[in-house]
Amino acid sequence: MGNRRKRILSGMRPTGKMHLGNYVGALENWVKLQGEYENFHLIADYHALTTNPDTSYIFENTIDMVIDWIAVGIDPEKSPIFRQSQIKEHTELFLIFSMLITTARLERNPTLKEQIRDLKLETITYGHLGYPVLQAADILLYKGEVVPVGEDQAPHVEITREIARKFNTTYDKVFPLPEVKLTDFARLPGLDGQKMSKSVGNTILIADEYNKIKEKMKKAFTDPQKLRKGDPGRPDTCLVYTYHTKFNPDETEQIYRDCTSGKLGCVDCKMKCSKAINSVISPFREKRKELEKDRGKILDIIIDGEKRAREVAEETMSEVRKAMLLG
Ligand code: TRP
């Protein structure tokens, strides 16, 4: 491996336009680390099928998602962006890895349990149980050493380490043991205090205009005991205050004081917050508008990323086959 830069492998399922939770939970870190690391960014289109076999929305969602990735600062020249489904080595390594982990271990995966509960699933598919095994293949095909993701993905990185260890001891030392990298806001709450998520409808999108942000912010939950302007508030339990700490660090202290003393009402506080969020995301929104004009170019960028990613994937697979005495 010489003294090459360490490698990052991270990705997301193609969920369409990105929200602030995606940004502060992962994307911000991807951008920050790009340069210090060699980044690879995967569009997990096969993973999308684990909870919904409908493929009709995947292409549009992929383009929308990649537009946001680039708009926030991912530079596709430096950091290949590619679809899992276009590089067949993912499925090949997934199959091999599936022999190196027990079903009992996969049934204990807390992220799976959470999904079963949240989506009220009565049964799951074989592929859904194997979700982390495919993710391990995604990471290890590129010998990813650092995996910046949201908190819910940490158990999958743990399983990836176990599989890498198992492969290395059973066959030959081919893989690094990747580490998860969380942000301070690995789980940003949505406007209702639950985890921010498209399916719940509690998001602020990177594409949202200032007016839209204000309108959404009006509905955000605050301290339920603060009913009118003069009432003292409890910022520590307030969602809007959490947003201030992230998006409005300069004013945060003042806001804390004025909220607890009752001087600052929720309506004004929310307007300050909308303004702060807007000033962070408006450059992304403008860039997104530019990129929107040529969606065909986004596909070209992805295809180019796939060429570069495929080279690495092929190289790793030949090492895997050699280690396993296959062929
Ligand atoms: N499971 C991740 C998510 O839902 C997406 C993903 C697939 C991923 N493969 C990955 C993330 C590899 C990091 C590394 O967000």
Side-chain angles (χ1 to χ4, degrees):
M1 292 185 198
N3 50 11
R4 67 164 172 77
R5 278 178 297 163
K6 279 198 177 179
R7 209 171 260 169
I8 278 183
L9 184 296
S10 193
M12 290 185 196
R13 284 179 286 175
T15 50
K17 291 181 180 153
M18 299 277 94
H19 55 63
L20 293 183
N22 300 128
Y23 178 63
V24 305
L27 287 178
E28 192 183 15
N29 245 356
W30 296 6
V31 175
K32 209 162 56 194
L33 301 169
Q34 176 180 246
E36 184 187 344
Y37 291 83
E38 191 188 356
N39 289 31
F40 282 76
H41 295 302
L42 161 123
I43 299 152
D45 50 358
Y46 277 150
H47 273 120
L49 307 180
T50 56
T51 48
N52 183 2
D54 179 7
T55 51
S56 58
Y57 67 96
I58 288 183
F59 184 74
E60 285 310 308
N61 271 4
T62 295
I63 302 294
D64 274 326
M65 178 168 84
V66 172
I67 285 179
D68 280 335
W69 287 4
I70 299 173
V72 302
I74 293 299
D75 174 355
E77 303 244 335
K78 287 194 199 139
S79 312
I81 295 174
F82 55 97
R83 291 165 293 183
Q84 186 184 43
S85 67
Q86 300 308 302
I87 296 171
K88 63 179 171 36
E89 284 76 10
H90 286 258
T91 46
E92 215 176 335
L93 194 56
F94 166 60
L95 179 91
I96 291 168
F97 282 173
S98 70
M99 316 299 171
L100 300 177
I101 185 142
T102 65
T103 51
R105 175 67 183 90
L106 294 170
E107 281 157 0
R108 281 204 311 275
N109 169 17
T111 304
L112 179 66
K113 288 185 186 165
E114 219 174 86
Q115 271 184 343
I116 291 174
R117 195 191 57 219
D118 293 350
L119 304 173
K120 301 186 175 58
L121 304 177
E122 278 166 19
T123 56
I124 59 162
T125 63
Y126 170 56
H128 195 177
L129 180 66
Y131 189 115
V133 186
L134 181 57
Q135 188 159 342
D138 298 340
I139 296 168
L140 295 172
L141 253 187
Y142 303 91
K143 301 194 178 170
E145 290 152 297
V146 176
V147 189
V149 278
E151 187 185 59
D152 58 325
Q153 296 301 312
H156 294 164
V157 180
E158 187 50 42
I159 291 173
T160 302
R161 292 167 65 86
E162 290 172 29
I163 291 176
R165 212 178 280 123
K166 182 80 180 173
F167 185 98
N168 290 347
T169 53
T170 309
Y171 302 110
D172 200 358
K173 194 174 174 316
V174 172
F175 297 114
L177 301 185
E179 291 185 23
V180 70
K181 196 169 189 87
L182 303 179
T183 61
D184 300 342
F185 282 84
R187 200 178 274 249
L188 185 81
L191 296 162
D192 57 357
Q194 307 299 307
K195 184 188 174 191
M196 191 178 281
S197 156
K198 259 242 166 103
S199 54
V200 181
N202 60 359
T203 63
I204 294 178
L205 300 178
I206 287 171
D208 283 342
E209 298 285 346
Y210 191 17
N211 273 339
K212 186 92 190 171
I213 300 171
K214 286 193 267 194
E215 191 185 304
K216 285 183 171 178
M217 190 59 77
K218 277 187 198 144
K219 294 184 216 132
F221 284 23
T222 50
D223 177 1
Q225 287 180 19
K226 182 168 160 64
L227 297 176
R228 38 191 97 66
K229 186 168 173 184
D231 293 347
R234 296 172 302 167
D236 293 319
T237 58
C238 180
L239 167 75
V240 178
Y241 183 72
T242 307
Y243 290 174
H244 277 294
T245 60
K246 173 66 204 172
F247 296 101
N248 197 12
D250 294 345
E251 273 191 289
T252 302
E253 247 176 68
Q254 184 71 37
I255 286 166
Y256 193 95
R257 256 181 277 131
D258 292 349
C259 173
T260 42
S261 73
K263 189 170 150 201
L264 179 65
C266 294
V267 176
D268 292 341
C269 178
K270 286 176 167 183
M271 287 306 110
K272 280 181 191 292
C273 191
S274 305
K275 189 166 172 228
I277 290 174
N278 187 56
S279 70
V280 172
I281 67 177
S282 64
F284 307 154
R285 196 171 60 217
E286 294 315 308
K287 177 95 192 276
R288 146 170 263 295
K289 280 185 196 153
E290 277 307 302
L291 295 163
E292 268 289 3
K293 288 182 191 153
D294 193 354
R295 293 173 72 90
K297 195 167 142 220
I298 303 295
L299 181 58
D300 293 341
I301 287 172
I302 296 171
I303 291 171
D304 174 64
E306 283 160 2
K307 279 199 201 107
R308 290 183 283 153
R310 196 173 290 117
E311 277 175 28
V312 180
E314 283 172 356
E315 169 73 31
T316 305
M317 259 330 282
S318 68
E319 284 178 49
V320 164
R321 291 177 161 280
K322 197 160 153 244
M324 295 178 77
L325 314 174
L326 290 174

